Amino acid sequence: MRKHALLLTLALMGAAAAQTVTVGLDADPPRLDPALSTALVDRQVLNQIFDKLVDLDQNLKIVPALAKSWKVTNGGLTYTFTLRTDVKFHDGTPFNAAAVKYTLERNMTLEGSGRKNELSSVKEVKVVNPSTVQITLKQPYAPLLAVLSDRAGMIVSPTAAQKAGENFQNAPVGAGAFEFVSRKRQDNITLAANPSYWDGKPKIDKLVYRPFPDGDVRAANLLSGAVQVITPIDPKDISKLDKNAKFDVMNYPGLGFQGIWFNVTRAPFNSKAVRQAVAATIDREAVAKVVFYDTVVPAAGPFPPGTPAASKTAQPPKANVTFARQKLAGKPLTFTMLTAPGSVNTQLAQLYQAMFAQAGINAKIEQVEFGTLLDRADRKDFDALMLGWSGRPDPDGNIYDFFVTGGTNNQAGYSNKEVDALLARARTQTNLSSRVATYNVALGKIREDSPYIWVYHQSNLVATVKGLTGLKPIPDGIVRFKDADLK
Amino acid sequence: MLVFALRRLLSAIPTLLIVTLVVFAMVQLLPGDPARLLLGEEATPQALAELRRSLGLDRPLPEQYLRWLFDVLHFDFGASVRDHTSVSSLIAEKLPTTMQLAGFAMLIAMLIALPAGILGALKRGSWVDQVLTLFALSGISLPNFFLGILLIYVFSIRLAWVPASGYVGFFEDPVKNLLLLVLPAITLGVHSAAVLARYLRGSLIETLFQDYVRTAHAKGVSGARVTFRHALRNALIPVVTAFGLQLGGLLGGAVITEQIFSVPGFGRLLVDAVYTRDLPVIQGVVLVSAVAVFLVSFAVDLLYAALDPRIRYQ
């Protein structure tokens, strides 16, 4: 009898300790479908619901996930994946090679899919047997595994996706550590622990995401105990939260870069000397210190330190006003720089403006809403503009599309045949060190041409209540809650 | 009275049609391309063209307008380009939240404005009046976002009396609902309270100098009775108009307040829709707001006519 009572008490205690972790994000994730998602913030939620073929570890190494192992053969043209056989989707559908084939083909064909570009090198996906799937490429594409560690490799339940059609994003079903429960726009997205997760049931029972677009409001909600995690933190709040004994701050390098584009298709920046002059005025250390309280890293190129392609030798250039004046040779320079709204953007733009002025360069700041900024970038209707990139684990994702002739993210309108050839060659090289060598040659030419100034690499800034453990600083910035525990 | 109401309603039809045209044109004037924003970093020219076609954005503007108007007349506001939720269901989900917030804010505004306005008028020129004027001026000039953050800091973080943000439906948990809404309602209501108090004070002072008030005093009616029975009723007429205008303005104020307190209402829906260029949602929300403002001003007109019979015959 007594034993029963004890068990009952323990059971009640267990029930009472049902753990909910609420996470404050900076935006309401727009689309919870791995194929349709185009916003960075979506990935925070998608990653918990959908398991991927492969994942990244803290050192950006590709590690097994739904695929236990893989082999690359045929000169980099064939990828054969051996899959886990003990996995079920949240709706009970078994995970197998057919589900992988369905997902990848859906990513490549669904109308409005944002994955088409990433998977454009895929020729065929073949089911060899239920636990083996083979991807054949049109030409070698070294970034494939990295691409499969993100949304393109998130495997959806074929039954659920077929049944829901366009509505799948409102009822996403994957095989991840957490199941989708409900969402209320602008309010919350609620997930529950997947009790039969192949890698063990998560320790927390419920995961709730809430959007707080304003950084002060996000911090206020952490301080008041309404949420247990916020990401990102405004740089100005870091030391405040860090000093507070009730919170932990995680600050680890990200994958992206931020800087300034020059429109090389029209005056004044169709002149290489002018671009070099403006680029030489930037004091990256000052930017990191003044605007970001040293939470960002000055950039020497598109690859952040700590990532495999980061140059061990290239140091971020120092400001050189004399060089800038020489390059301008006494000719006056006036231009307009576009930026999106936001306090950090405004501060950055004004700091840049002051740095330009030291070399006698007169820059006007024009602040336009983000949609307009993208639009004008596409139409090449600007002189200079401030825009960066969230970053990708494979180096290709940080360079190819930005500097190849006609690339979607090539805001400068930059075109250099040699660079095109080098970037294309790097894609086909399976040996990482030879790829990096190719990138370094390409980067030398891009630096010389200066269509873009890399200024800094942003960091991932996460604040949590003390007692929340098990979060790993993975550079893609996505906080994984599978091993999280709240004491 | 009925004829007056009907005439007012009929005259609204062309106005509302113009509103639809303005709403549509306004949304078209928004810079930036919805397809570009939806696809963001992943946009390729093919994907952009495909998405524009599927959203109907490649059709001529007059055709887009007529299609939209036709649907709107059938109470079909289309579907969000973001996740295909129907706009009417989004509005039905968010509007009651904002209406509750606005109602609560108006209640707070009246609770402050009535005594403050009356006291200010009766004690005009005194130090009480001056203090009240000072408060009213700060209430008018204090921006929502500042007051909101200040209230969160004091009452949520320092004192921990109320949660900092969020929303629970009234029927789910009435106590929590009121606790969550009290700070946003104060933030939203303070401005209206200040404006209404000023209106009431001015209007009441003017009325107190009218002949009939002097007559009443001369006949020996008590001071309180004169103020509340005779003067206040007439002084309230312009205040009712101001009240109507304020109520319309609350929808605009709610945009910022809801943003600060993370209240998932109409304002946040609009802000989010503008950020993502979700055209059907923007059009639906703006149109419904326009109709709401119209209905409020219609109700105010009727109330006005009821309070002052002279209005009806003009």
Side-chain angles (χ1 to χ4, degrees):
Chain A
M1 199 60 206
R2 182 170 277 180
K3 199 173 149 196
H4 281 284
L6 188 69
L7 280 178
L8 188 68
T9 319
L10 282 175
L12 282 175
M13 275 168 67
Q19 280 181 350
T20 300
V21 169
T22 306
V23 185
L25 298 174
D26 58 340
D28 192 20
R31 310 175 114 192
L32 298 183
D33 180 327
L36 297 176
S37 155
T38 52
L40 191 62
V41 67
D42 288 338
R43 298 155 68 197
Q44 296 286 0
V45 182
L46 288 174
N47 233 288
Q48 326 297 336
I49 304 175
F50 295 96
D51 256 20
K52 302 165 292 191
L53 274 185
V54 292
D55 203 358
L56 296 172
D57 73 0
Q58 278 159 255
N59 306 312
L60 289 177
K61 228 183 87 195
I62 308 275
V63 293
L66 287 177
K68 282 195 290 195
S69 63
W70 53 91
K71 269 204 314 268
V72 186
T73 51
N74 201 7
L77 284 176
T78 308
Y79 284 69
T80 311
F81 293 91
T82 307
L83 308 174
R84 301 196 153 274
T85 47
D86 52 347
V87 180
K88 277 192 164 45
F89 291 103
H90 303 149
D91 63 347
T93 308
F95 163 78
N96 52 32
V100 175
K101 180 180 161 73
Y102 172 82
T103 301
L104 292 178
E105 284 175 354
R106 179 176 187 268
N107 284 341
M108 291 187 285
T109 53
L110 191 71
E111 187 172 89
S113 165
R115 311 282 79 79
K116 286 179 186 171
N117 207 13
E118 297 164 0
L119 296 174
S120 59
S121 60
V122 174
K123 192 166 94 187
E124 198 198 357
V125 185
K126 212 169 77 193
V127 174
V128 178
N129 61 47
S131 64
T132 314
V133 72
Q134 203 169 63
I135 300 177
T136 318
L137 302 182
K138 294 173 199 153
Q139 68 272 341
Y141 180 62
L144 185 73
L145 285 175
V147 161
L148 293 177
S149 77
D150 190 17
R151 288 165 291 191
M154 292 181 177
I155 308 303
V156 305
S157 156
T159 347
Q162 267 157 348
K163 208 172 85 189
E166 276 187 341
N167 203 37
F168 186 64
Q169 57 188 324
N170 296 319
V173 180
F178 292 85
E179 296 175 21
F180 176 82
V181 176
S182 66
R183 89 171 290 176
K184 197 170 170 199
R185 264 217 216 188
Q186 284 97 35
D187 191 37
N188 73 73
I189 295 171
T190 301
L191 311 179
N194 173 3
S196 43
Y197 186 57
W198 61 269
D199 200 17
K201 184 181 186 291
K203 296 187 187 75
I204 56 175
D205 305 286
K206 226 165 108 183
L207 189 56
V208 180
Y209 285 95
R210 293 182 56 198
F212 303 101
D214 185 288
D216 289 327
V217 174
R218 212 157 46 243
N221 277 278
L222 182 73
L223 290 171
S224 73
V227 304
Q228 287 76 48
V229 183
I230 57 170
T231 182
I233 327 168
D234 275 3
K236 66 172 172 53
D237 294 328
I238 289 176
S239 65
K240 191 173 70 191
L241 289 171
D242 211 10
K243 278 185 206 131
N244 193 323
K246 279 152 74 185
F247 304 102
D248 278 326
V249 170
M250 295 166 76
N251 176 0
Y252 54 100
L255 297 175
F257 57 79
Q258 297 289 330
I260 304 167
W261 282 105
F262 296 122
N263 182 358
V264 306
T265 67
R266 71 177 199 199
F269 291 120
N270 51 3
S271 149
K272 183 156 82 173
V274 172
R275 298 196 296 268
Q276 289 172 335
V278 176
T281 61
I282 300 292
D283 181 349
R284 292 166 173 78
E285 301 282 337
V287 169
K289 199 163 278 150
V290 174
V291 183
F292 296 101
Y293 305 84
D294 277 328
T295 57
V296 302
V297 190
F303 311 126
T307 62
S311 168
K312 307 273 184 300
T313 48
Q315 289 300 311
K318 298 255 178 270
N320 189 342
V321 177
T322 329
F323 174 82
R325 284 188 188 274
Q326 273 166 12
K327 281 283 167 187
L328 289 174
K331 270 178 271 165
L333 173 61
T334 302
F335 66 93
T336 307
M337 184 168 66
L338 290 190
T339 161
S343 56
V344 168
N345 275 329
T346 310
Q347 228 185 327
L348 259 178
Q350 287 168 347
L351 192 60
Y352 291 151
Q353 193 180 35
M355 288 170 179
F356 302 151
Q358 289 189 326
I361 301 164
N362 178 16
K364 283 190 272 258
I365 301 171
E366 192 183 343
Q367 203 155 60
V368 293
E369 184 275 336
F370 191 61
T372 315
L373 185 90
L374 291 178
D375 205 35
R376 285 180 62 179
D378 288 351
R379 289 188 285 114
K380 300 288 169 277
D381 175 22
F382 68 96
D383 298 334
L385 67 81
M386 286 165 50
L387 192 63
W389 174 244
S390 58
R392 293 289 181 267
D394 188 89
D396 180 84
N398 271 21
I399 185 168
Y400 184 84
D401 214 24
F402 299 84
F403 300 103
V404 77
T405 303
T408 324
N409 285 313
N410 183 343
Q411 316 295 4
Y414 175 67
S415 173
N416 181 330
K417 292 235 154 49
E418 288 173 80
V419 171
D420 287 355
L422 288 164
L423 294 182
R425 187 164 90 213
R427 281 192 156 183
T428 62
Q429 290 174 300
T430 36
N431 177 316
L432 187 67
S433 57
S434 38
R435 271 178 86 196
V436 172
T438 312
Y439 283 132
N440 281 336
V441 181
L443 274 176
K445 296 186 189 303
I446 298 169
R447 280 198 193 95
E448 166 72 15
D449 289 340
S450 299
Y452 187 73
I453 318 174
W454 294 278
V455 179
Y456 65 93
H457 299 291
Q458 61 270 46
S459 302
N460 292 306
L461 299 170
V462 184
T464 66
V465 291
K466 271 227 162 69
L468 184 77
T469 54
L471 302 185
K472 289 191 196 85
I474 295 177
D476 64 7
I478 291 153
V479 189
R480 290 145 168 92
F481 285 94
K482 183 179 77 70
D483 300 319
D485 197 5
L486 188 62
K487 293 253 155 51
Chain B
M1 190 71 189
L2 192 66
V3 180
F4 172 77
L6 279 177
R7 214 171 46 204
R8 251 330 247 106
L9 268 180
L10 277 178
S11 71
I13 292 172
T15 317
L16 286 177
L17 266 179
I18 293 172
V19 166
T20 64
L21 198 61
V22 170
V23 167
F24 185 81
M26 219 165 56
V27 169
Q28 301 305 319
L29 283 177
L30 275 180
D33 168 5
R36 184 68 174 86
L37 261 182
L38 265 177
L39 290 181
E41 291 182 333
E42 336 285 342
T44 59
Q46 305 89 292
L48 281 173
E50 199 177 81
L51 188 61
R52 279 198 200 102
R53 202 175 46 246
S54 81
L55 296 177
L57 295 170
D58 56 342
R59 308 200 176 254
L61 281 184
E63 188 190 329
Q64 287 188 42
Y65 171 69
L66 288 177
R67 274 167 183 264
W68 174 68
L69 186 65
F70 180 81
D71 289 341
V72 164
L73 291 176
H74 294 81
F75 294 101
D76 173 7
F77 294 97
S80 157
V81 299
R82 196 169 102 175
D83 58 10
H84 301 282
T85 325
S86 87
V87 175
S88 2
S89 73
L90 278 173
I91 291 176
E93 183 189 310
K94 309 290 184 190
L95 192 58
T97 307
T98 300
M99 276 167 56
Q100 197 205 346
L101 175 62
F104 200 2
M106 231 39 219
L107 186 74
I108 288 174
M110 286 317 279
L111 285 178
I112 302 174
L114 276 179
I118 294 171
L119 205 62
L122 293 180
K123 310 250 178 210
R124 63 188 168 276
S126 73
W127 66 269
V128 178
D129 186 29
Q130 276 170 15
V131 169
L132 286 173
T133 303
L134 190 73
F135 273 109
L137 282 178
S138 357
I140 289 169
S141 38
L142 211 63
N144 269 0
F145 59 86
F146 182 72
L147 181 63
I149 299 263
L150 195 73
L151 290 177
I152 291 184
Y153 181 75
V154 175
F155 293 102
S156 303
I157 297 180
R158 287 281 132 197
L159 301 173
W161 287 354
V162 284
S165 70
Y167 180 75
V168 176
F170 182 78
F171 296 104
E172 261 171 75
D173 186 346
V175 177
K176 192 149 186 225
N177 168 277
L178 293 178
L179 274 181
L180 280 168
L181 278 187
V182 67
L183 292 188
I186 293 173
T187 309
L188 195 56
V190 159
H191 184 266
S192 298
V195 172
L196 291 177
R198 296 305 290 166
Y199 261 103
L200 182 57
R201 176 184 174 276
S203 164
L204 192 58
I205 288 175
E206 202 181 305
T207 330
L208 287 173
F209 283 104
Q210 297 283 329
D211 288 343
Y212 65 87
V213 175
R214 245 186 307 164
T215 312
H217 276 298
K219 280 163 67 181
V221 182
S222 80
R225 204 177 151 82
V226 173
T227 309
F228 289 100
R229 287 294 297 273
H230 296 256
L232 191 60
R233 181 183 156 137
N234 288 312
L236 274 177
I237 294 174
V239 178
V240 166
T241 315
F243 184 86
L245 289 174
Q246 287 296 314
L247 204 55
L250 279 191
L251 280 174
V255 172
I256 297 163
T257 310
E258 288 179 358
Q259 205 69 1
I260 299 169
F261 291 95
S262 309
V263 178
F266 219 49
R268 282 201 93 190
L269 182 65
L270 180 63
V271 171
D272 241 43
V274 170
Y275 270 129
T276 50
R277 289 295 181 285
D278 202 336
L279 300 189
V281 176
I282 305 176
Q283 286 168 339
V285 169
V286 175
L287 191 62
V288 169
S289 314
V291 172
V293 170
F294 162 75
L295 287 177
V296 168
S297 81
F298 176 66
V300 168
D301 277 355
L302 291 189
L303 194 61
Y304 209 95
L307 281 172
D308 187 348
R310 281 173 305 178
I311 308 285
R312 256 174 273 167
Y313 307 110
Q314 276 168 7

